[in-house]
Amino acid sequence: MFKTTALAYTYDGSFEGLLCCVFESYEWKETPLAIHSLEEGQGLLLESKWIETDSVKAGRVLRSIPLKISPEAEELVRLGFWSNAMDKEMLLLNFLYLGFTHGRRVMNMLADDTVSALNKAVQQLRREGHHYLGFVRFSVYGPVMAAVIEPRGYILPVIEDHFCDRFQNESFMIYDKTHGMALLHQPGRQAIIPLQEWIPPEPDEAEAAYRRLWQGFYNAIGIKERKNDRLRASLMPKRYWKQLPEMSGNAPALPALAARQEQTARRLKSGQRELQ
């Protein structure tokens, strides 16, 4: 039996670090009251116990999950770690307690609060990843395409294969502004790396023209008589709109086009004065 201890585990925030927290719990037969990543800090007035990340210990825990529970449980744990579930570390620890006790059966224990909460968190992550398959908008900056997203969950590993397969001959980057990570792809290789800040450069004339064409196409296919803002917001939540050029309505005008528009406006005003 595990004893509950008045400790908070603190780890480096990595998946391997969390697995080391699981190893520590089993090694000392203790259940912490909380598990915090180093970035989050400690919210409770508890004594903190630093858990060092050890690849050997993490590997032992990771290999035990498909062997003692199931391969599906390993995927569920990975996705649960990428989710934005509240207290996800304790949720995953409690799930593994159940899994190592009941084996494969835990995957069908949907009435259990822990199993239910973890499945809901993973479903939400997958749903958000599916949304971003359609809501990622690339801009072209020289030889590279780039896009900015602001997801709630850490979805880059979820959408990685889709975009790398779809644009396998292109060089592109998807920057996750929320988590400070970026998916980089070049033909034949890909990686997800830390990137704390990236500000997109100003678009050139060609990119500005494409954005304006895309906005024009989006507006042209709309049917004013069937406009339903509430339905649109339910199918395309407003938190996605910030990075969608068709919704922002602020694509930069081409310098030459803007100059012609200004010249035309001056002529119209001059003609109106002459008529008066």
Side-chain angles (χ1 to χ4, degrees), residues 204-215:
D204 58 17
E205 292 191 8
E207 172 61 26
Y210 277 118
R211 292 189 189 184
R212 189 164 295 280
L213 286 171
W214 173 241
Q215 287 183 348

Side-chain angles (χ1 to χ4, degrees), residues 5-195:
T5 179
L7 286 173
Y9 285 180
T10 304
Y11 73 113
D12 63 2
S14 67
F15 182 61
E16 291 75 16
L18 177 61
L19 295 178
C20 289
C21 291
V22 177
F23 187 96
E24 185 80 8
S25 175
Y26 271 87
E27 184 177 36
W28 293 96
K29 303 297 182 184
E30 65 183 18
T31 300
L33 288 180
I35 302 177
H36 302 286
S37 68
L38 190 60
E39 292 181 355
E40 292 174 341
Q42 186 174 325
L44 301 175
L45 297 178
L46 298 173
E47 182 182 352
S48 178
K49 182 177 183 180
W50 172 252
I51 307 300
E52 193 73 32
T53 299
D54 185 317
S55 60
V56 175
K57 293 179 180 180
R60 287 178 60 181
V61 176
L62 186 61
R63 288 191 298 272
S64 69
I65 298 175
L67 290 175
K68 296 184 177 181
I69 311 176
S70 70
E72 294 79 13
E74 180 185 350
E75 182 184 17
L76 191 68
V77 169
R78 285 185 182 275
L79 292 172
F81 181 75
W82 294 335
S83 74
N84 65 329
M86 185 176 296
D87 297 325
K88 64 183 180 184
E89 292 89 352
M90 287 301 300
L91 180 63
L92 291 168
L93 178 62
N94 289 327
F95 173 78
L96 289 174
Y97 285 161
L98 289 170
F100 291 141
T101 301
H102 299 283
R104 183 179 291 271
R105 288 182 299 164
V106 73
M107 301 300 291
N108 296 321
M109 294 169 56
L110 301 180
D112 183 271
D113 289 344
T114 296
V115 180
S116 175
L118 181 56
N119 274 281
K120 287 180 179 177
V122 170
Q123 288 174 2
Q124 183 178 3
L125 178 76
R126 283 175 165 157
R127 188 180 303 114
E128 185 174 32
H130 178 72
H131 284 161
Y132 270 106
L133 297 185
F135 292 156
V136 171
R137 299 289 183 265
F138 286 101
S139 295
V140 178
Y141 302 104
V144 178
M145 302 191 307
V148 179
I149 60 175
E150 297 182 57
R152 292 173 177 170
Y154 178 50
I155 65 164
L156 285 182
V158 179
I159 66 176
E160 178 180 7
D161 288 344
H162 171 85
F163 284 102
C164 291
D165 289 343
R166 185 177 180 184
F167 299 110
Q168 55 185 299
N169 296 321
E170 302 289 342
S171 296
F172 68 83
M173 176 184 74
I174 301 178
Y175 171 54
D176 181 347
K177 188 175 181 180
T178 304
H179 301 91
M181 301 293 290
L183 167 60
L184 302 181
H185 176 269
Q186 289 181 331
R189 57 180 178 171
Q190 63 199 60
I192 296 177
I193 65 169
L195 183 61

Side-chain angles (χ1 to χ4, degrees), residues 248-266:
S248 64
N250 60 353
L254 291 171
L257 178 60
R260 288 198 299 269
Q261 290 175 340
E262 184 178 355
Q263 185 179 18
T264 301
R266 287 200 301 267

